[in-house]
Amino acid sequence: MSMPESRYVAVLLLMTLALPAAAAGGKIAGPNLGQVLPNTEAALPYPSIYPDGRGLPAGHGNAVDGRKVYDAQCTACHGSAGRGGSGGQLISHGPLTGPEPDPAVDNYWPFATTLFDFTRRAMPMTAPGTLSNDEVYAVTAYLLNLSGVIGENDDINAETLPKIRMPNRDGFVWIDVPKSPR
Amino acid sequence: MTRRKKISTPTIPTGVAPGANPSGLNRRAFLQGGLALTAATTGGKLSAAEPPLPWLHTPGAPLTNYGQPSEQERKVIRWITPNRQVPGNGVSWTPLHELEGIITPSGLHFERHHNGVPQIPADQHRLLVHGLTQRALSFSIADLLRYPLRTRLAFIECGGNSNAGWNLEPLQTKAGYLHGMASCSEWTGVPLSTILDEAGVAPEARWLVLEGADAIAMNVSLPLHKATDDCLLALYQNGERLRPENGYPLRLLVPGWEGVLNVKWLRRIELSREPVMARNETSRYTELQPDGKARQFTFVMGVKSLITTPSPGAVLSRGLHELRGLAWSGHGRIKKVEISVNGGKTWTQAELQTPVLPQCFTRFRLPWQWRGQAAVLKSRATDEAGNVQPERTKLIAERGRAGYFHYNAIVAWALDSDGELSHVYA
C-alpha cells in the first residue's frame, strides 16, 4: 500500500508546477531579524531524542526502581503494570492482527527512545517535565521490562536504551514520503 | 425543523418540470419552484396585520467592543469530548451542520489538545530555528510580524476526524459531531521558507522536528520539501490574531496535511536528516492494517465530502429542499461533487460555490424535491488529482477497521417516509 517511488516523484513534480511564482522560484526575502544564537542544544528543556540515541541525557535506571516511580506517578491513568486506566493502555500482550487488535507499547511502538522522550516531556500529565532523568530512565526500564525486552535489573541509560530492539521495529510502512536508508 | 401533518400533499410536486430527473434532483428546481410559490402566496388570504414589533419603538443595545453571536444562536457551539481525568486532553468538534459558506468562525474551529491550552504572553514567546542550519536563530513575535506576510484559506483536519466511521454500527449524532474535527479559516503568516532561508538549511537536512509550547511540548516531524513548499508560520486567523486554542501566538499551517503537523504554540524547529520518531508519529497517527503492518507518515488528508444540511436529527417536510454540504481534499482543489438520493444507484452533479481553492473547504449545493419516499442521501467528491471519495465497504476492505485515522469514506444519511434523517452504512 505504500506509494511507489515513481508516483511520489510524479506528485512532487505536479506540486512544483502548480506553485505560485513567489514560492516556486522567487524567494520572499525577510528583514533578517533572527537573533543568532550560539550552540542552543544544551539550553533546551527537551532536546530531540532520535532513535540512535542522540539527545539522550546523562542518568540511568532499572525496572525495579521504575516500578516504584510508576506506582507513584502513573497508575491513576494507566492502571497497574500498564493495564487499565483511562489514559491509554501501555502493555497489551495482545495481537496486532485479527478482529480485536490491541496495539500498545510492547507490541506496537517501534523505538524505545520514543518512550523516554514522551515520558520526559509529557508525563505525568498533571505535572509534565517534573520527573528527574533517572526517574524517566527507570520508568522507561519498567515498561520495557513489562514489554519483555529487558530484564528487571538491566541498567537503562544513554548507551543501552537505543540498542534495544522493539518487537515491532519493522512494522511500519511509510506512505507519503520515501523511506530513507537508515 | 418541526414535523408537519401529512395532509394535502400535492400529488404533482411543485417545480418539477416534465422529464426532470426522477430522483427529484434538479439544479433548476429552485427557480421553477420559486415562481410556483409566489403564485400560491398571492392567491392565498394573508392578514395585513403584523404582530407588534417592539424593537421598532425602543432604542437598541449599546455598542460593544467585541461582537458576539445572537443570544438565540447559543446552541451553535463546539461539542466537547474530553478525557474526564485530564480535561485538557480531548477534542471539541465544529458544528458543521449549523454553519454555511466555507469559513469556520474562529470560536468554532475544532480543537484537539493533548494537555490543555497554554496562555502564552506573546512578548515572552520565541521561535527557535536550529539543527542542520548554518546558524541557530531566535525570533520574537514582534520580529515575525515585520516579515512579509502571505494570506490563504485552508482547512485543518485532524487525522482522527470521522473515526466513528470505523465502528461496526453507525453512530447516531449530528454531522459536525461525526466529521467536525475539520475546520477552515483564512490564515495569515510568514512563509516558512523565508525563515528557513535566513537560517540557511544544510544540504543534508531532510526533515523538520517541530515542537510546541504546550504541556506535552508536542513534537512531530515534517518533511523539508513540504516546509519549503507552502507552509506558513501563522499569526492571524480570519483577520485577527490567533485564538489561544489555535496556537496563539504562533502556529504552523501545513496546508492539506494532517492536523497534528500544524503545530500550535510553535516554539522550535530543528532541521535534521531523519524524523525524530516522536510518540505522535509512531504510536499515534499511524494506522494499523489487517496484515499487522501500520501505515506511517500518512500526511495528506484524503478527499472527503458530506452533506451538512440536512443532518441526522432533522425531520424533513415534503417539497423542495436544498441539499448542502462541504468537500475538501489535501491533494488540491475539489473538481466535482456528486449527490445521490438512492444510496448510490444514480448520481447528480452538485453546484460548487466559488471560490474553489486548493486544500480548502468547498461548499456544494443541489436542489431536491422530496416526495415522501424513503431515500439514502450520499455525496461523493473527486479532487483535481483524480482521487475519488471511496465507499465505506471499499475503504474497510483495503484498510480494515483498526487504523483509526484517515477515514474518508462516503457518508450516508437515510431518510424514512416520515422525514426523519439518520446516519446509516449503505
Tab-separated table of all heavy atoms in Angstrom, chain B residues 242-295:
chain	number	residue	atom	x	y	z
B	242	LEU	N	-4.312	34.848	16.206
B	242	LEU	CA	-4.770	33.501	16.531
B	242	LEU	C	-5.487	33.480	17.874
B	242	LEU	O	-5.102	34.185	18.803
B	242	LEU	CB	-3.573	32.546	16.627
B	242	LEU	CG	-2.685	32.350	15.413
B	242	LEU	CD1	-1.488	31.486	15.814
B	242	LEU	CD2	-3.450	31.699	14.281
B	243	ARG	N	-6.483	32.648	17.981
B	243	ARG	CA	-7.090	32.383	19.281
B	243	ARG	C	-6.129	31.480	20.090
B	243	ARG	O	-5.402	30.673	19.497
B	243	ARG	CB	-8.428	31.656	19.102
B	243	ARG	CG	-9.491	32.474	18.360
B	243	ARG	CD	-10.043	33.560	19.237
B	243	ARG	NE	-10.908	34.478	18.509
B	243	ARG	CZ	-12.250	34.371	18.435
B	243	ARG	NH1	-12.861	33.353	19.018
B	243	ARG	NH2	-12.955	35.264	17.803
B	244	PRO	N	-6.166	31.587	21.432
B	244	PRO	CA	-5.272	30.725	22.236
B	244	PRO	C	-5.398	29.252	21.868
B	244	PRO	O	-4.393	28.543	21.756
B	244	PRO	CB	-5.736	30.983	23.670
B	244	PRO	CG	-6.298	32.370	23.636
B	244	PRO	CD	-6.933	32.524	22.269
B	245	GLU	N	-6.637	28.799	21.652
B	245	GLU	CA	-6.827	27.377	21.355
B	245	GLU	C	-6.416	27.017	19.930
B	245	GLU	O	-6.424	25.854	19.554
B	245	GLU	CB	-8.276	26.951	21.629
B	245	GLU	CG	-9.304	27.515	20.671
B	245	GLU	CD	-9.951	28.817	21.127
B	245	GLU	OE1	-9.260	29.624	21.792
B	245	GLU	OE2	-11.133	29.034	20.818
B	246	ASN	N	-6.051	28.020	19.150
B	246	ASN	CA	-5.489	27.732	17.843
B	246	ASN	C	-4.029	28.115	17.745
B	246	ASN	O	-3.504	28.317	16.647
B	246	ASN	CB	-6.320	28.381	16.736
B	246	ASN	CG	-7.409	27.436	16.265
B	246	ASN	OD1	-7.114	26.385	15.716
B	246	ASN	ND2	-8.649	27.781	16.522
B	247	GLY	N	-3.379	28.226	18.899
B	247	GLY	CA	-1.923	28.308	18.887
B	247	GLY	C	-1.315	29.649	19.228
B	247	GLY	O	-0.115	29.828	19.041
B	248	TYR	N	-2.120	30.606	19.696
B	248	TYR	CA	-1.578	31.920	19.988
B	248	TYR	C	-0.311	31.807	20.824
B	248	TYR	O	-0.309	31.087	21.826
B	248	TYR	CB	-2.609	32.761	20.754
B	248	TYR	CG	-2.171	34.179	21.033
B	248	TYR	CD1	-2.438	35.187	20.106
B	248	TYR	CD2	-1.474	34.507	22.202
B	248	TYR	CE1	-2.028	36.501	20.349
B	248	TYR	CE2	-1.066	35.815	22.442
B	248	TYR	CZ	-1.343	36.801	21.517
B	248	TYR	OH	-0.941	38.086	21.749
B	249	PRO	N	0.755	32.487	20.465
B	249	PRO	CA	0.824	33.496	19.410
B	249	PRO	C	1.313	33.005	18.048
B	249	PRO	O	1.360	33.787	17.110
B	249	PRO	CB	1.841	34.485	19.987
B	249	PRO	CG	2.753	33.630	20.805
B	249	PRO	CD	1.922	32.516	21.353
B	250	LEU	N	1.637	31.704	17.905
B	250	LEU	CA	2.216	31.238	16.639
B	250	LEU	C	1.907	29.774	16.422
B	250	LEU	O	2.144	28.949	17.311
B	250	LEU	CB	3.748	31.426	16.664
B	250	LEU	CG	4.517	31.039	15.406
B	250	LEU	CD1	4.189	31.997	14.258
B	250	LEU	CD2	6.022	31.044	15.664
B	251	ARG	N	1.382	29.439	15.243
B	251	ARG	CA	1.212	28.041	14.890
B	251	ARG	C	1.726	27.830	13.473
B	251	ARG	O	1.856	28.786	12.698
B	251	ARG	CB	-0.245	27.598	14.973
B	251	ARG	CG	-1.050	27.849	13.698
B	251	ARG	CD	-2.449	27.272	13.743
B	251	ARG	NE	-2.442	25.833	13.933
B	251	ARG	CZ	-3.544	25.125	14.209
B	251	ARG	NH1	-4.709	25.741	14.315
B	251	ARG	NH2	-3.487	23.826	14.359
B	252	LEU	N	1.960	26.588	13.140
B	252	LEU	CA	2.332	26.279	11.766
B	252	LEU	C	1.086	25.894	10.987
B	252	LEU	O	0.216	25.187	11.506
B	252	LEU	CB	3.349	25.130	11.744
B	252	LEU	CG	4.026	24.903	10.389
B	252	LEU	CD1	4.852	26.114	9.981
B	252	LEU	CD2	4.912	23.661	10.430
B	253	LEU	N	0.987	26.372	9.765
B	253	LEU	CA	-0.042	25.900	8.842
B	253	LEU	C	0.639	25.006	7.809
B	253	LEU	O	1.574	25.439	7.125
B	253	LEU	CB	-0.740	27.072	8.137
B	253	LEU	CG	-1.772	26.626	7.104
B	253	LEU	CD1	-3.014	26.062	7.774
B	253	LEU	CD2	-2.147	27.770	6.162
B	254	VAL	N	0.173	23.776	7.723
B	254	VAL	CA	0.716	22.791	6.767
B	254	VAL	C	-0.439	22.407	5.859
B	254	VAL	O	-1.155	21.438	6.137
B	254	VAL	CB	1.287	21.569	7.520
B	254	VAL	CG1	1.969	20.607	6.553
B	254	VAL	CG2	2.276	22.001	8.607
B	255	PRO	N	-0.671	23.162	4.788
B	255	PRO	CA	-1.933	23.015	4.042
B	255	PRO	C	-2.177	21.589	3.533
B	255	PRO	O	-1.328	21.000	2.872
B	255	PRO	CB	-1.753	23.992	2.870
B	255	PRO	CG	-0.797	25.015	3.389
B	255	PRO	CD	0.161	24.241	4.255
B	256	GLY	N	-3.347	21.071	3.896
B	256	GLY	CA	-3.789	19.785	3.368
B	256	GLY	C	-3.258	18.575	4.105
B	256	GLY	O	-3.691	17.462	3.836
B	257	TRP	N	-2.306	18.788	5.002
B	257	TRP	CA	-1.710	17.650	5.723
B	257	TRP	C	-2.354	17.509	7.094
B	257	TRP	O	-2.980	18.436	7.592
B	257	TRP	CB	-0.196	17.811	5.825
B	257	TRP	CG	0.503	17.568	4.501
B	257	TRP	CD1	-0.044	17.738	3.254
B	257	TRP	CD2	1.841	17.121	4.301
B	257	TRP	NE1	0.881	17.420	2.286
B	257	TRP	CE2	2.054	17.046	2.895
B	257	TRP	CE3	2.889	16.785	5.153
B	257	TRP	CZ2	3.272	16.628	2.360
B	257	TRP	CZ3	4.101	16.377	4.601
B	257	TRP	CH2	4.284	16.296	3.216
B	258	GLU	N	-2.187	16.350	7.693
B	258	GLU	CA	-2.973	16.054	8.895
B	258	GLU	C	-2.706	17.074	10.010
B	258	GLU	O	-1.620	17.625	10.157
B	258	GLU	CB	-2.784	14.612	9.369
B	258	GLU	CG	-1.400	14.200	9.658
B	258	GLU	CD	-1.319	12.724	10.074
B	258	GLU	OE1	-2.299	11.955	9.945
B	258	GLU	OE2	-0.252	12.322	10.544
B	259	GLY	N	-3.769	17.281	10.784
B	259	GLY	CA	-3.791	18.389	11.727
B	259	GLY	C	-2.630	18.420	12.704
B	259	GLY	O	-2.130	19.496	13.047
B	260	VAL	N	-2.162	17.251	13.126
B	260	VAL	CA	-1.140	17.208	14.165
B	260	VAL	C	0.152	17.899	13.725
B	260	VAL	O	0.937	18.357	14.551
B	260	VAL	CB	-0.870	15.739	14.601
B	260	VAL	CG1	-0.203	14.956	13.477
B	260	VAL	CG2	-0.062	15.666	15.879
B	261	LEU	N	0.354	18.006	12.407
B	261	LEU	CA	1.562	18.676	11.905
B	261	LEU	C	1.461	20.194	11.989
B	261	LEU	O	2.482	20.894	11.940
B	261	LEU	CB	1.821	18.270	10.450
B	261	LEU	CG	2.050	16.776	10.230
B	261	LEU	CD1	1.817	16.407	8.780
B	261	LEU	CD2	3.459	16.393	10.651
B	262	ASN	N	0.230	20.691	12.115
B	262	ASN	CA	0.004	22.138	12.165
B	262	ASN	C	0.240	22.599	13.611
B	262	ASN	O	-0.663	23.043	14.305
B	262	ASN	CB	-1.419	22.476	11.720
B	262	ASN	CG	-1.683	22.128	10.256
B	262	ASN	OD1	-1.833	23.011	9.424
B	262	ASN	ND2	-1.752	20.837	9.940
B	263	VAL	N	1.468	22.464	14.044
B	263	VAL	CA	1.791	22.554	15.479
B	263	VAL	C	1.403	23.916	16.044
B	263	VAL	O	1.782	24.958	15.510
B	263	VAL	CB	3.285	22.273	15.715
B	263	VAL	CG1	3.668	22.504	17.170
B	263	VAL	CG2	3.617	20.840	15.296
B	264	LYS	N	0.631	23.868	17.118
B	264	LYS	CA	0.193	25.084	17.799
B	264	LYS	C	1.251	25.509	18.816
B	264	LYS	O	2.032	24.698	19.278
B	264	LYS	CB	-1.147	24.830	18.499
B	264	LYS	CG	-2.248	24.387	17.541
B	264	LYS	CD	-3.626	24.325	18.189
B	264	LYS	CE	-3.763	23.236	19.211
B	264	LYS	NZ	-4.130	21.927	18.648
B	265	TRP	N	1.254	26.785	19.151
B	265	TRP	CA	2.195	27.354	20.129
B	265	TRP	C	3.634	26.990	19.724
B	265	TRP	O	4.472	26.665	20.568
B	265	TRP	CB	1.865	26.852	21.540
B	265	TRP	CG	0.387	26.860	21.797
B	265	TRP	CD1	-0.412	27.963	21.928
B	265	TRP	CD2	-0.487	25.727	21.914
B	265	TRP	NE1	-1.715	27.587	22.117
B	265	TRP	CE2	-1.788	26.224	22.128
B	265	TRP	CE3	-0.289	24.343	21.880
B	265	TRP	CZ2	-2.898	25.380	22.283
B	265	TRP	CZ3	-1.390	23.502	22.034
B	265	TRP	CH2	-2.670	24.020	22.236
B	266	LEU	N	3.904	27.076	18.433
B	266	LEU	CA	5.173	26.597	17.878
B	266	LEU	C	6.343	27.354	18.498
B	266	LEU	O	6.389	28.579	18.460
B	266	LEU	CB	5.163	26.785	16.352
B	266	LEU	CG	6.405	26.326	15.611
B	266	LEU	CD1	6.534	24.801	15.656
B	266	LEU	CD2	6.370	26.809	14.162
B	267	ARG	N	7.285	26.618	19.060
B	267	ARG	CA	8.416	27.279	19.706
B	267	ARG	C	9.774	26.841	19.156
B	267	ARG	O	10.777	27.485	19.400
B	267	ARG	CB	8.405	27.047	21.221
B	267	ARG	CG	8.615	25.595	21.644
B	267	ARG	CD	8.703	25.454	23.166
B	267	ARG	NE	9.842	26.166	23.704
B	267	ARG	CZ	11.069	25.641	23.832
B	267	ARG	NH1	11.303	24.397	23.474
B	267	ARG	NH2	12.053	26.357	24.330
B	268	ARG	N	9.799	25.722	18.407
B	268	ARG	CA	11.102	25.217	17.992
B	268	ARG	C	10.995	24.452	16.693
B	268	ARG	O	10.041	23.678	16.496
B	268	ARG	CB	11.651	24.300	19.087
B	268	ARG	CG	13.090	23.881	18.886
B	268	ARG	CD	13.663	23.372	20.195
B	268	ARG	NE	13.241	22.005	20.503
B	268	ARG	CZ	13.876	20.900	20.062
B	268	ARG	NH1	14.930	21.006	19.276
B	268	ARG	NH2	13.442	19.702	20.406
B	269	ILE	N	11.943	24.712	15.807
B	269	ILE	CA	12.068	23.965	14.549
B	269	ILE	C	13.508	23.489	14.462
B	269	ILE	O	14.431	24.306	14.437
B	269	ILE	CB	11.737	24.855	13.332
B	269	ILE	CG1	10.276	25.323	13.381
B	269	ILE	CG2	12.038	24.113	12.037
B	269	ILE	CD1	9.934	26.338	12.290
B	270	GLU	N	13.682	22.187	14.443
B	270	GLU	CA	15.030	21.626	14.360
B	270	GLU	C	15.169	20.909	13.018
B	270	GLU	O	14.407	19.998	12.712
B	270	GLU	CB	15.254	20.641	15.515
B	270	GLU	CG	16.605	19.946	15.491
B	270	GLU	CD	16.815	19.069	16.727
B	270	GLU	OE1	16.298	19.418	17.802
B	270	GLU	OE2	17.478	18.022	16.590
B	271	LEU	N	16.165	21.325	12.228
B	271	LEU	CA	16.413	20.659	10.956
B	271	LEU	C	17.234	19.399	11.210
B	271	LEU	O	18.183	19.411	11.996
B	271	LEU	CB	17.182	21.595	10.009
B	271	LEU	CG	16.383	22.638	9.207
B	271	LEU	CD1	15.477	21.954	8.195
B	271	LEU	CD2	15.593	23.579	10.083
B	272	SER	N	16.822	18.305	10.558
B	272	SER	CA	17.505	17.032	10.815
B	272	SER	C	17.556	16.197	9.538
B	272	SER	O	16.902	16.507	8.545
B	272	SER	CB	16.771	16.263	11.927
B	272	SER	OG	15.556	15.756	11.425
B	273	ARG	N	18.332	15.127	9.605
B	273	ARG	CA	18.390	14.194	8.473
B	273	ARG	C	17.182	13.281	8.442
B	273	ARG	O	16.834	12.754	7.400
B	273	ARG	CB	19.616	13.283	8.613
B	273	ARG	CG	20.941	13.892	8.316
B	273	ARG	CD	22.029	12.850	8.619
B	273	ARG	NE	23.266	13.503	8.973
B	273	ARG	CZ	24.198	13.817	8.079
B	273	ARG	NH1	24.040	13.513	6.813
B	273	ARG	NH2	25.306	14.435	8.449
B	274	GLU	N	16.617	13.027	9.615
B	274	GLU	CA	15.594	11.982	9.707
B	274	GLU	C	14.505	12.404	10.690
B	274	GLU	O	14.698	13.324	11.477
B	274	GLU	CB	16.242	10.679	10.172
B	274	GLU	CG	16.962	10.841	11.500
B	274	GLU	CD	17.724	9.596	11.881
B	274	GLU	OE1	17.276	8.501	11.525
B	274	GLU	OE2	18.764	9.729	12.554
B	275	PRO	N	13.370	11.730	10.627
B	275	PRO	CA	12.315	12.040	11.597
B	275	PRO	C	12.747	11.636	12.994
B	275	PRO	O	13.541	10.711	13.169
B	275	PRO	CB	11.130	11.194	11.116
B	275	PRO	CG	11.731	10.105	10.301
B	275	PRO	CD	12.969	10.670	9.681
B	276	VAL	N	12.197	12.332	13.991
B	276	VAL	CA	12.626	12.092	15.374
B	276	VAL	C	11.946	10.843	15.959
B	276	VAL	O	12.377	10.317	16.961
B	276	VAL	CB	12.348	13.343	16.228
B	276	VAL	CG1	10.863	13.487	16.533
B	276	VAL	CG2	13.171	13.360	17.503
B	277	MET	N	10.905	10.364	15.275
B	277	MET	CA	10.116	9.209	15.740
B	277	MET	C	9.466	9.496	17.091
B	277	MET	O	9.580	8.729	18.051
B	277	MET	CB	10.959	7.930	15.791
B	277	MET	CG	11.441	7.494	14.430
B	277	MET	SD	10.053	7.089	13.333
B	277	MET	CE	10.943	6.590	11.845
B	278	ALA	N	8.767	10.620	17.127
B	278	ALA	CA	8.038	11.032	18.319
B	278	ALA	C	6.837	10.123	18.539
B	278	ALA	O	6.397	9.411	17.629
B	278	ALA	CB	7.567	12.480	18.170
B	279	ARG	N	6.301	10.198	19.740
B	279	ARG	CA	5.110	9.404	20.067
B	279	ARG	C	3.988	9.661	19.075
B	279	ARG	O	3.301	8.728	18.641
B	279	ARG	CB	4.677	9.755	21.488
B	279	ARG	CG	3.472	8.978	21.974
B	279	ARG	CD	2.219	9.824	21.924
B	279	ARG	NE	1.174	9.253	22.766
B	279	ARG	CZ	-0.007	9.826	22.956
B	279	ARG	NH1	-0.276	10.970	22.376
B	279	ARG	NH2	-0.910	9.262	23.726
B	280	ASN	N	3.792	10.922	18.682
B	280	ASN	CA	2.656	11.240	17.814
B	280	ASN	C	2.934	11.029	16.335
B	280	ASN	O	2.201	11.553	15.489
B	280	ASN	CB	2.170	12.659	18.096
B	280	ASN	CG	1.337	12.703	19.372
B	280	ASN	OD1	0.558	11.780	19.642
B	280	ASN	ND2	1.508	13.739	20.169
B	281	GLU	N	3.977	10.289	15.996
B	281	GLU	CA	4.166	9.824	14.619
B	281	GLU	C	4.524	8.342	14.592
B	281	GLU	O	4.879	7.815	13.549
B	281	GLU	CB	5.227	10.663	13.898
B	281	GLU	CG	6.604	10.571	14.526
B	281	GLU	CD	7.487	11.768	14.167
B	281	GLU	OE1	6.949	12.859	13.919
B	281	GLU	OE2	8.713	11.587	14.129
B	282	THR	N	4.462	7.697	15.748
B	282	THR	CA	4.737	6.255	15.806
B	282	THR	C	3.561	5.517	16.447
B	282	THR	O	2.842	4.771	15.807
B	282	THR	CB	6.029	5.970	16.604
B	282	THR	OG1	5.929	6.567	17.892
B	282	THR	CG2	7.245	6.495	15.884
B	283	SER	N	3.350	5.823	17.749
B	283	SER	CA	2.290	5.111	18.453
B	283	SER	C	0.918	5.661	18.105
B	283	SER	O	-0.087	4.945	18.159
B	283	SER	CB	2.551	5.192	19.960
B	283	SER	OG	1.492	5.757	20.663
B	284	ARG	N	0.859	6.940	17.755
B	284	ARG	CA	-0.386	7.579	17.321
B	284	ARG	C	-0.186	8.152	15.919
B	284	ARG	O	0.936	8.367	15.483
B	284	ARG	CB	-0.785	8.711	18.262
B	284	ARG	CG	-1.076	8.269	19.676
B	284	ARG	CD	-2.358	7.437	19.780
B	284	ARG	NE	-2.745	7.212	21.166
B	284	ARG	CZ	-2.237	6.278	21.952
B	284	ARG	NH1	-1.302	5.454	21.479
B	284	ARG	NH2	-2.644	6.133	23.192
B	285	TYR	N	-1.311	8.445	15.259
B	285	TYR	CA	-1.273	8.989	13.900
B	285	TYR	C	-0.573	8.029	12.943
B	285	TYR	O	0.040	8.434	11.964
B	285	TYR	CB	-0.672	10.401	13.869
B	285	TYR	CG	-1.433	11.344	14.783
B	285	TYR	CD1	-0.999	11.615	16.072
B	285	TYR	CD2	-2.632	11.917	14.371
B	285	TYR	CE1	-1.722	12.435	16.930
B	285	TYR	CE2	-3.363	12.738	15.220
B	285	TYR	CZ	-2.899	12.991	16.499
B	285	TYR	OH	-3.619	13.797	17.342
B	286	THR	N	-0.615	6.742	13.274
B	286	THR	CA	-0.240	5.675	12.343
B	286	THR	C	-1.443	4.745	12.293
B	286	THR	O	-2.269	4.753	13.208
B	286	THR	CB	0.999	4.909	12.835
B	286	THR	OG1	0.791	4.485	14.188
B	286	THR	CG2	2.243	5.776	12.766
B	287	GLU	N	-1.548	3.955	11.237
B	287	GLU	CA	-2.774	3.179	11.025
B	287	GLU	C	-2.456	1.697	10.883
B	287	GLU	O	-1.867	1.266	9.895
B	287	GLU	CB	-3.476	3.673	9.758
B	287	GLU	CG	-3.749	5.148	9.725
B	287	GLU	CD	-3.392	5.721	8.366
B	287	GLU	OE1	-4.102	5.414	7.380
B	287	GLU	OE2	-2.394	6.439	8.267
B	288	LEU	N	-2.872	0.970	11.897
B	288	LEU	CA	-2.676	-0.484	11.888
B	288	LEU	C	-3.578	-1.126	10.831
B	288	LEU	O	-4.778	-0.864	10.782
B	288	LEU	CB	-2.984	-1.040	13.276
B	288	LEU	CG	-2.764	-2.537	13.494
B	288	LEU	CD1	-1.315	-2.935	13.222
B	288	LEU	CD2	-3.162	-2.917	14.919
B	289	GLN	N	-2.974	-1.964	9.997
B	289	GLN	CA	-3.703	-2.598	8.891
B	289	GLN	C	-3.993	-4.071	9.216
B	289	GLN	O	-3.403	-4.644	10.135
B	289	GLN	CB	-2.868	-2.500	7.605
B	289	GLN	CG	-2.520	-1.066	7.218
B	289	GLN	CD	-3.755	-0.244	6.945
B	289	GLN	OE1	-4.470	-0.464	5.981
B	289	GLN	NE2	-4.032	0.720	7.828
B	290	PRO	N	-4.876	-4.691	8.441
B	290	PRO	CA	-5.243	-6.083	8.755
B	290	PRO	C	-4.059	-7.056	8.773
B	290	PRO	O	-4.096	-8.054	9.491
B	290	PRO	CB	-6.225	-6.449	7.630
B	290	PRO	CG	-6.807	-5.147	7.198
B	290	PRO	CD	-5.713	-4.141	7.352
B	291	ASP	N	-2.992	-6.762	8.020
B	291	ASP	CA	-1.851	-7.685	7.995
B	291	ASP	C	-0.892	-7.468	9.171
B	291	ASP	O	0.160	-8.097	9.236
B	291	ASP	CB	-1.091	-7.565	6.662
B	291	ASP	CG	-0.457	-6.198	6.461
B	291	ASP	OD1	-0.618	-5.309	7.338
B	291	ASP	OD2	0.212	-6.000	5.425
B	292	GLY	N	-1.254	-6.541	10.080
B	292	GLY	CA	-0.403	-6.303	11.235
B	292	GLY	C	0.636	-5.212	11.017
B	292	GLY	O	1.291	-4.774	11.959
B	293	LYS	N	0.820	-4.787	9.772
B	293	LYS	CA	1.708	-3.653	9.487
B	293	LYS	C	0.925	-2.355	9.667
B	293	LYS	O	-0.308	-2.349	9.572
B	293	LYS	CB	2.240	-3.732	8.050
B	293	LYS	CG	3.084	-4.968	7.764
B	293	LYS	CD	4.468	-4.847	8.378
B	293	LYS	CE	5.368	-6.000	7.927
B	293	LYS	NZ	6.638	-6.008	8.659
B	294	ALA	N	1.657	-1.282	9.899
B	294	ALA	CA	0.988	0.006	10.089
B	294	ALA	C	1.459	1.005	9.041
B	294	ALA	O	2.633	1.031	8.655
B	294	ALA	CB	1.274	0.553	11.475
B	295	ARG	N	0.512	1.802	8.571
B	295	ARG	CA	0.841	2.934	7.691
B	295	ARG	C	1.386	4.070	8.555
B	295	ARG	O	0.777	4.436	9.555
B	295	ARG	CB	-0.409	3.395	6.941
B	295	ARG	CG	-0.923	2.383	5.910
B	295	ARG	CD	-2.383	2.636	5.560
B	295	ARG	NE	-2.619	3.950	4.996
B	295	ARG	CZ	-2.569	4.235	3.698
B	295	ARG	NH1	-2.332	3.274	2.818
B	295	ARG	NH2	-2.785	5.452	3.264
